[in-house]
Amino acid sequence: LDLGSYFVFLSEPLCATSDLKRSIHEIELFCARHKKKHIFLLAGEEFSALCSQQGYTCNSLGVNAKIDIQGYRPSKNMRHNIHCAKKRGLSVEEIKGLSPEDPITEELKNISDGWAKTKIAPKELQLVVGIFREIFLKEPRIFLVKQKGQNIGFSVFYPYYENGKVKGYTMDILRKRPGSLNQGVFESVVQKAVEVFQAEEAQEIALGWAPFYYRNTYNARIDTIGIAK
């Protein structure tokens, strides 16, 4: 992002670990040519440590919880919420092969738009709210949330790679109809995704950036999110 006197990079460089130092140097040269300072936003602990060695200042602004798929054990609270949701008719299933012309695509967009209208975020946090885009129908995995046969929500997971293979998935968004069932929805989506990705031998699920939040509620491994500048 080009924000006045700064370039803001919304992730770490996507490259082999052995190339990180070189990537940082190339980014520094690029920013210098444009006479701008730069910030790495959503940087994990390992990258932040490397940046610190390069003379950057790293500040913790929240967490990015990651679930170990193969060793996953839901907490007692999660199991309780999933059980309560099932008793009220909640189910989760993966849907594949959607196209922009599919009737359910418009329904998902309406669910997302309805959800977004209930969220009034300050300008600094609008980036993390997200909106529905048709690109969701291409590479990501989509899980549909139903209650007694009615579609009440969905979640989108994006894959990320290591050495040419899928290492894990990022839970990009979770949307549900305003006023619909709340208890157990998130937990049920996570549980279903773990079951599906576990069979595919993926390693982890990243639950996404939670700004200014530091609790570990879901038996997940916590990576500190830093800003390096």
Side-chain angles (χ1 to χ4, degrees):
L1 294 176
D2 185 350
L3 300 178
S5 60
Y6 281 87
F7 283 135
V8 178
F9 297 89
L10 301 181
S11 73
E12 307 169 7
L14 300 178
C15 64
T17 302
S18 59
D19 291 331
L20 277 175
K21 285 187 178 180
R22 187 180 70 180
S23 295
I24 293 173
H25 180 62
E26 290 177 352
I27 288 172
E28 290 173 341
L29 293 177
F30 171 80
C31 294
R33 287 198 298 270
H34 290 81
K35 298 181 180 180
K36 289 179 181 282
K37 299 178 181 179
H38 60 284
I39 291 173
F40 296 106
L41 185 62
L42 312 186
E45 287 186 343
E46 294 179 2
F47 181 72
S48 295
L50 178 60
C51 286
S52 182
Q53 294 172 9
Q54 301 297 313
Y56 288 74
T57 298
C58 302
N59 301 303
S60 179
L61 296 179
V63 299
N64 179 25
K66 292 183 179 179
I67 292 174
D68 176 8
I69 293 176
Q70 300 304 321
Y72 177 68
R73 296 292 185 274
S75 66
K76 182 178 179 180
N77 185 59
M78 285 191 72
R79 293 195 303 269
H80 171 74
N81 287 338
I82 291 170
H83 175 71
C84 291
K86 284 184 177 179
K87 288 181 64 175
R88 299 182 65 179
L90 190 83
S91 63
V92 181
E93 63 184 50
E94 184 178 10
I95 52 177
K96 299 180 179 180
L98 288 181
S99 68
E101 295 77 25
D102 196 309
I104 197 172
T105 301
E106 185 64 26
E107 185 176 11
L108 297 185
K109 184 177 185 304
N110 290 338
I111 290 174
S112 181
D113 291 346
W115 177 92
K117 289 178 181 178
T118 68
K119 306 296 178 181
I120 302 176
K123 183 177 180 181
E124 293 79 7
L125 295 179
Q126 286 179 358
L127 178 68
V128 303
V129 173
I131 60 174
F132 183 88
R133 295 184 175 89
E134 290 184 355
I135 193 173
F136 288 171
L137 308 178
K138 297 181 180 179
E139 188 175 14
R141 309 284 288 269
I142 302 176
F143 290 81
L144 187 64
V145 182
K146 294 186 175 185
Q147 185 179 16
K148 297 180 179 179
Q150 180 185 6
N151 299 328
I152 66 166
F154 69 98
S155 185
V156 175
F157 290 79
Y158 276 92
Y160 52 92
Y161 301 81
E162 184 176 83
N163 298 323
K165 297 181 179 180
V166 173
K167 179 180 181 179
Y169 290 85
T170 294
M171 188 180 196
D172 186 59
I173 64 170
L174 173 64
R175 300 286 188 261
K176 69 182 194 69
R177 293 187 189 278
S180 62
L181 177 66
N182 187 55
Q183 183 184 20
V185 172
F186 173 83
E187 293 89 341
S188 298
V189 169
V190 169
Q191 180 66 35
K192 182 64 176 181
V194 166
E195 292 172 1
V196 171
F197 300 148
Q198 194 174 59
E200 299 172 2
E201 300 184 349
Q203 298 180 34
E204 58 192 26
I205 292 176
L207 299 181
W209 182 36
F212 313 116
Y213 186 80
Y214 300 92
R215 292 177 58 196
N216 184 2
T217 310
Y218 303 105
N219 282 356
R221 177 171 62 84
I222 298 296
D223 279 351
T224 301
I225 302 302
I227 287 184
K229 61 180 180 178

